[in-house]
Amino acid sequence: MYSPLGKPFVILHFCCNPSVQTNHGRFLSSLGYCVIGSNNGFETIELSASGEIDAVVLELDRNHSDVLLIAREIKRARASLPTIVVVHATQTRDGLDGLADALVPEEMGSGLLVKSLEEVLARSRKGYFPLPDTAPAKKQIGDKGQVSIPA
């Protein structure tokens, strides 16, 4: 996926699980995104502060408080940087409202992650990124795991 300048969007992907990070990174790369992987919270915060990152994907795995801290620091440094948190069914989502531009249930698969990524990038680029579905959105996770983003 390309930015208005014709360059691939740069996605910073934080995950402590190397196999998940590799799988998501390969999948997003195959769609044309430039993916930078990180399993270090300090590195993720530092990289996100640079102007080179277009969006951040944080995998909420075993340590909820680390991801909350990382998301909080990212938003403090660059409030407008689109941030998506991938959550698992059994995990608490406490504290993520206001920090995540989208919450994506891991169980719904990579397709929903890509759709959410396209939506938050479109909103951050003020319409430069075309979307097939332009229906108004709400921020919630529905009964079937749909994620929607506030207008």
Side-chain angles (χ1 to χ4, degrees):
M1 297 295 161
Y2 293 91
S3 72
L5 301 175
K7 297 179 182 177
F9 281 114
V10 179
I11 309 302
L12 177 58
H13 182 239
F14 170 80
C15 184
C16 291
N17 182 328
S19 64
V20 171
Q21 188 176 56
T22 299
N23 290 339
H24 280 166
R26 284 182 183 161
F27 178 71
L28 292 172
S29 293
S30 74
L31 298 175
Y33 293 102
C34 175
V35 181
I36 299 171
S38 174
N39 62 2
N40 179 298
F42 294 111
E43 176 185 61
T44 301
I45 293 165
E46 185 177 294
L47 287 170
S48 67
S50 80
E52 303 298 314
I53 305 298
D54 295 304
V56 177
V57 175
L58 302 171
E59 296 276 340
L60 184 60
D61 54 13
R62 65 187 174 274
N63 200 341
H64 181 79
S65 60
D66 283 355
V67 172
L68 274 174
L69 174 68
I70 293 166
R72 200 173 289 125
E73 289 301 311
I74 288 170
K75 289 300 186 179
R76 187 180 62 73
R78 280 185 67 196
S80 63
L81 182 63
T83 304
I84 295 173
V85 177
V86 178
V87 296
H88 305 278
T90 59
Q91 292 174 314
T92 180
R93 291 160 174 82
D94 293 343
L96 291 172
D97 286 336
L99 294 175
D101 296 292
L103 296 175
V104 177
E106 192 268 338
E107 298 78 17
M108 297 306 294
S110 298
L112 190 56
L113 173 61
V114 171
K115 182 175 187 226
S116 297
L117 197 51
E118 289 174 351
E119 288 177 1
V120 298
L121 285 168
R123 293 204 192 296
S124 74
R125 299 293 181 231
K126 296 181 175 57
Y128 287 105
F129 191 88
L131 286 176
D133 179 24
T134 57
K138 304 172 204 159
K139 185 176 181 180
Q140 63 183 2
I141 298 177
D143 293 336
K144 296 181 182 169
Q146 299 105 328
V147 174
S148 36
I149 314 298

